[in-house]
Amino acid sequence: MNKINEVFKNNKALIIYVTAGDPSLEATKEIILELNKDGVDIIEVGIPFSDPLADGPIIQRASQKALKNGVTLKKIFETLDEIKENITCPLVLMGYYNSILNYGIDNFITDAGNTGISGVIIPDLPFDEEEEFYAKIKENGIDPILLVAPNTSEERLKEISKVCSGFLYCVSIMGVTGDSQAPIEHLKEYSQRVRKYIDLPLAIGFGIDSPEKVKNIIDYFDGIIVGSALVKIIDENSDDKAKMLKEIKSFIKSLKIW
Amino acid sequence: MKKAYFGQYGGRYVPETLIPALEELEEAYEKYSKDPDFIDEYQGLLKDYCGRPTPLYFAERFTEYLKGPKIYLKREDLNHTGAHKINNALGQVLLAKRMNKKRIIAETGAGQHGVATATAAARFGLECIVYMGAEDIRRQALNVYKMRMLGAKVVPVYSGSQTLKEAINEAIRDWVTNVENTHYVIGSVVGPHPYPKIVRDFQRIIGDEAKIQILEKEGRLPDYIVACVGGGSNAMGIFYPFIEDKDVELIGVEAAGKGLETGQHAASLTTGKVGVLHGSKSYVLQDEDGQIQLAYSISAGLDYPGVGPEHSYLHDEKRAQYVSITDEEALKGFELLTKLEGIIPAFESSHAIAYAMKISPSLDKDKIMLINLSGRGDKDVDSYRELNREVIE
């Protein structure tokens, strides 16, 4: 059984997103180690991109900062390689397709494999584009984690179930990351509708920023994904690393209410 | 070829939330583009509201000056609102109306597409929001003013380059959030399927008319068709009906800005590589790590780091050739056409004019060249004045 399946076997999962290179790759290393220590179940490492269509202002800004710092996909792999022995939870890469296309699909698969990456999330690559890409990463032991939205049709849910593995990323709202109005109502119905077609753990993300929200939705999903709220904490404390790590620790603790 | 593609280019590289909207749009377009009522209404608007057909004008003095082929100008500058953009804006807003969408969003660089969309939205009484880079708002103050007069809300975008690329990102984010009641009027032959096809179909009127007109005037097809290419909608519009006419050379002119060697240009096909931007796969200006680069051109309508996927296909197939013209060359084209013909072309179209100036002297006099004069230059006169160039005698 691969690492992501293992996570969901007996428990719900807390999945945390962090933008690689914000405020620096050195800091990202420490943040990932901290998250791992704090009991985060899966860490999503964001590959910064100049034109992130699915992201709101917080992650956009973090990406721009990282790019200004000269972060590249190659450097991200090198950074993750340095700490892979010390990370026990699965690492998932989240990024836009142009980064991977430009890196070269075979190079990407090789380096992701060497770095111990368990899954890949690409918000602008639906299952019916580049089908061979998703098939290929799966053959190489990496889970293609696909997204569904509240308006995804039943036909597409059926098709997505054939491609996706690891867990399914349920977008909580019609919108972009960090939207504080999320999640939508009727989450119970949303989760039930998706489960009818997809037999995978369901994780919900976009706009999940407080323990109160987690409390309201945790019964319906197998995992909670938090991104912008943590990126905001990193941004607000980027001058004081010790405080940043402390704030992260207490935020994670407050979210894991199960 | 898969329906969303032109060869390997095109596709729908968008967040899953947008897929239902793209499917709805595709279905609506399939239905209404064959619906006689829709076609009649659209054709009626083109005729009585836009002023079509636009003339095909023999540029006699320009031809004499260059001592090359006979040069005709397809006068898209004479459309209502001053450019070809209105053809597509009216078509898409009419479609949005049929789809019961209450809210129209658009993005704009030079402002011509924004003005055209705001005009069409006003004509049909729909709410209209236009995203525009803060830098473009500065460069194109007159068009911003017009959009506001027309009742559109112009939203400045301050991220990144503060130009068209970021305005498109912002429009897509708005669309993801409001997809159920909103239609996004994309202004060029770019974006996810079915947009490149829809915009091309609404713009092919340029080429369809030009074909009839040149046959009437000359009794034969032209040897060359020259058009500027940013995203590429005016070029696609005039090229498309001639693609099967293999003897007609199709030439797309990109912006070389301050020179290709300076890196400050917008020549995606000439110097870019294959990538994914704004929902489709095409040639894109990007750095070694796949980050999209900022494009530059004196023309706000051309400084886009991507290009329509069908142009990428025509480029690979060698059915069209793509060249580039610098700011300085384009300005000379702008000045010469104004002086010789009494027609002030848009900075965008000046690139096509400048390329004609470059090649005409070496071409036979019995050849025929057709240049798409995609828009008029009123919007660029302030920018030109700021350059303080000596007026040529």
Side-chain angles (χ1 to χ4, degrees), chain B residues 242-271:
Chain B
F242 291 93
I243 286 177
E244 298 304 321
D245 302 309
K246 304 284 188 216
D247 291 337
V248 180
E249 265 189 55
L250 307 175
I251 305 168
V253 186
E254 298 193 299
K258 293 181 179 170
L260 295 181
E261 69 292 349
T262 66
Q264 287 187 284
H265 59 77
S268 313
L269 283 163
T270 318
T271 68

Side-chain angles (χ1 to χ4, degrees), chain A residues 155-170:
Chain A
E155 290 71 31
R156 287 185 70 83
L157 288 174
K158 282 182 210 162
E159 294 299 320
I160 288 168
S161 75
K162 294 178 198 157
V163 180
C164 184
S165 66
F167 67 88
L168 182 75
Y169 194 132
C170 300

Side-chain angles (χ1 to χ4, degrees), chain B residues 17-226:
Chain B
T17 318
L18 290 181
I19 299 285
L22 292 170
E23 286 177 346
E24 183 191 1
L25 177 62
E26 189 175 4
E27 207 177 291
Y29 181 67
E30 284 294 313
K31 179 176 163 193
Y32 291 114
S33 61
K34 295 183 187 84
D35 173 3
D37 288 343
F38 181 88
I39 296 168
D40 278 358
E41 190 173 358
Y42 179 55
Q43 295 296 343
L45 284 164
L46 289 181
K47 180 168 175 281
D48 298 327
Y49 189 70
C50 294
R52 301 204 73 95
T54 59
L56 185 72
Y57 165 71
F58 172 49
E60 196 177 352
R61 295 192 67 213
F62 191 55
T63 298
E64 272 172 22
Y65 180 89
L66 295 176
K67 300 182 173 46
K70 281 180 95 170
I71 295 178
Y72 284 87
L73 305 176
K74 179 61 176 163
R75 298 290 307 274
E76 291 302 294
D77 60 317
L78 293 179
N79 272 307
H80 178 44
T81 71
H84 70 292
K85 295 288 184 187
I86 192 76
N87 305 327
N88 169 53
L90 274 173
Q92 283 201 46
V93 169
L94 203 58
L95 199 56
K97 187 90 182 162
R98 292 283 205 281
M99 290 162 71
N100 284 321
K101 302 284 180 182
K102 306 282 180 240
R103 192 170 169 268
I104 297 292
I105 59 170
E107 87 300 315
T108 195
Q112 288 308 98
H113 172 59
V115 170
T117 307
T119 299
R123 167 68 182 72
F124 288 98
L126 295 174
E127 181 190 357
C128 180
I129 290 110
V130 181
Y131 290 93
M132 190 167 183
E135 168 63 15
D136 288 337
I137 286 184
R138 190 191 64 75
R139 289 196 284 188
Q140 300 292 342
L142 182 63
N143 274 341
V144 174
Y145 195 73
K146 281 187 195 167
M147 284 184 263
R148 289 186 174 139
M149 280 176 68
L150 290 159
K153 186 176 165 204
V154 180
V155 181
V157 178
Y158 293 102
S159 54
S161 61
Q162 307 196 358
T163 61
L164 181 61
K165 171 170 86 81
E166 319 305 329
I168 296 181
N169 290 338
E170 215 48 52
I172 294 177
R173 287 191 200 100
D174 177 319
W175 197 33
V176 172
T177 310
N178 300 292
V179 66
E180 282 175 333
N181 68 351
T182 299
H183 176 69
Y184 175 20
V185 180
I186 291 188
S188 194
V189 285
V190 299
H193 173 77
Y195 279 103
K197 288 186 180 175
I198 290 180
V199 178
R200 175 198 72 199
D201 289 354
F202 284 136
Q203 292 295 2
R204 67 169 290 171
I205 185 79
I206 306 171
D208 285 336
E209 283 177 7
K211 200 172 210 177
I212 294 166
Q213 290 165 324
I214 199 71
L215 287 172
E216 274 173 6
K217 286 176 194 285
E218 294 284 346
R220 68 180 186 91
L221 296 180
D223 301 286
Y224 311 94
I225 295 180
V226 185

Side-chain angles (χ1 to χ4, degrees), chain A residues 13-212:
Chain A
L14 178 62
I15 303 163
I16 298 288
Y17 167 93
V18 53
T19 301
D22 168 41
S24 67
L25 276 173
E26 207 45 47
T28 301
K29 230 190 295 186
E30 290 186 48
I31 292 165
I32 292 175
L33 289 168
E34 179 65 38
L35 293 172
N36 183 63
K37 203 168 73 186
D38 294 341
V40 167
D41 300 294
I42 297 172
I43 300 172
E44 271 182 35
V45 180
I47 306 164
F49 183 53
S50 53
D51 297 79
L53 294 184
D55 287 304
I58 295 173
I59 292 179
Q60 269 185 69
R61 212 168 36 240
S63 297
Q64 280 176 3
K65 231 188 314 171
L67 292 176
K68 229 173 167 180
N69 292 340
V71 172
T72 62
L73 186 47
K74 189 161 181 282
K75 287 183 188 167
I76 295 172
F77 278 130
E78 285 164 7
T79 304
L80 297 178
D81 197 48
E82 285 170 34
I83 53 171
K84 67 179 180 191
E85 307 298 338
N86 303 315
I87 306 290
T88 48
C89 72
L91 288 182
V92 165
L93 281 176
M94 179 162 187
Y96 290 84
Y97 191 57
N98 199 56
S99 301
I100 294 161
L101 192 62
N102 178 77
Y103 198 75
I105 290 167
D106 290 335
N107 287 345
F108 177 81
I109 290 173
T110 307
D111 287 355
N114 291 340
T115 323
I117 297 296
S118 300
V120 173
I121 304 172
I122 309 170
D124 64 344
L125 190 67
F127 75 89
D128 46 356
E129 293 297 340
E130 317 269 333
E131 287 164 55
E132 54 293 346
F133 170 75
Y134 281 133
K136 207 166 179 181
I137 63 166
K138 214 174 193 173
E139 277 167 26
N140 284 273
I142 300 169
D143 286 319
I145 297 160
L146 287 141
L147 295 93
V148 298
N151 59 350
T152 304
S153 67
E154 293 182 358
E155 290 71 31
R156 287 185 70 83
L157 288 174
K158 282 182 210 162
E159 294 299 320
I160 288 168
S161 75
K162 294 178 198 157
V163 180
C164 184
S165 66
F167 67 88
L168 182 75
Y169 194 132
C170 300
V171 174
S172 75
I173 193 174
M174 309 284 280
V176 292
T177 58
D179 188 331
S180 60
Q181 289 174 35
I184 54 154
E185 294 164 3
H186 313 304
L187 282 176
K188 189 176 175 185
E189 288 82 353
Y190 178 29
S191 66
Q192 284 170 341
R193 195 168 72 90
V194 175
R195 280 191 209 281
K196 229 163 90 186
Y197 301 99
I198 302 186
D199 184 22
L200 277 174
L202 305 187
I204 186 153
F206 281 41
I208 316 293
D209 55 6
S210 68
E212 294 71 42

Side-chain angles (χ1 to χ4, degrees), chain B residues 309-353:
Chain B
E310 196 164 7
H311 282 296
S312 293
Y313 176 67
L314 295 179
H315 174 66
D316 282 7
E317 293 290 302
K318 300 198 178 359
R319 175 61 193 96
Q321 56 162 312
Y322 294 87
V323 296
S324 63
I325 280 291
T326 64
D327 286 354
E328 181 55 33
E329 290 169 318
L331 285 168
K332 287 193 174 127
F334 177 85
E335 288 161 346
L336 191 68
L337 196 77
T338 303
K339 195 79 187 166
L340 291 179
E341 294 288 353
I343 296 171
I344 304 175
F347 277 175
E348 290 83 345
S349 320
S350 301
H351 286 71
I353 300 290

